[in-house]
Amino acid sequence: MPTKPVILKRRPLARTRLFQVEQLELQFANGVRRTYERLKRPGVGAVLIVPMLDPETVLLVREYGAGVEDYQLALPKGAMDPGEDALQAANRELMEEVGYGARRLQVIKSLSLSPAYMEHDIQVVLAEDLYAKRLPGDEPEPIEVVPWAMRDLAALMSRDDFTEGRSVAALYLVRELLSARAAPGQAGEEVDDGQT
């Protein structure tokens, strides 16, 4: 494993309501110095929820994406509030955006968006055993909830309104996890080997 560079200096460059840009002066193990700029992580973190209505159906949301100036299908997501852990934040966001809570929540993986110049990461949370419950959220308009069959991920990937990379990665991660759970011989399952 290579030795991480030493941060010689940090300097804030810009700050908006949502973004902070920071300059880093780095010295690498071989003595080379470089100046990098990065977007700092806002707040305490974020969650991306994969809400499974049943073992075959995921719930997507259609929201306006100001970055692409269009409506997009994606998984529900949001910022963690101070004092919340990832599971609490995921359940709250699920209730706000989708109108469901989850009895079972599991952190699957942390994903980064662009580690070369962004500190941002997001916790992918699988939400199962859903029940109807709505909390008021901060969305400017009602969010459309779109059920999607996990077996039809190829069709989803071909849509022009499904482009968010974190949602793509999370859906494939969860599909693999659910497939592994359903496979014969998983921990705790009895397997009929035909010998009895």
Side-chain angles (χ1 to χ4, degrees), residues 92-144:
R92 177 185 48 76
E93 288 289 344
L94 187 60
M95 292 176 195
E96 291 174 1
E97 293 191 9
V98 183
Y100 283 91
R103 290 183 187 90
R104 291 186 323 194
L105 295 151
Q106 176 185 358
V107 174
I108 303 300
K109 182 165 180 62
S110 177
L111 296 175
S112 60
L113 193 55
S114 184
Y117 64 92
M118 296 176 78
E119 186 183 25
H120 302 187
D121 63 346
I122 197 162
Q123 301 295 316
V124 176
V125 178
L126 173 60
E128 298 175 288
D129 196 7
L130 303 183
Y131 58 92
K133 181 164 183 177
R134 175 147 319 263
L135 290 177
D138 59 358
E139 290 74 24
E141 63 183 357
I143 295 175
E144 179 185 357

Side-chain angles (χ1 to χ4, degrees), residues 13-16 18-24 36-42 113-121:
L13 295 179
R15 184 184 189 106
T16 71
L18 293 177
F19 301 107
Q20 297 176 53
V21 180
E22 178 181 62
Q23 185 179 69
L24 298 176
Y36 285 83
E37 293 176 0
R38 69 175 182 169
L39 285 173
K40 283 190 56 71
R41 174 190 349 226
L113 193 55
S114 184
Y117 64 92
M118 296 176 78
E119 186 183 25
H120 302 187
D121 63 346

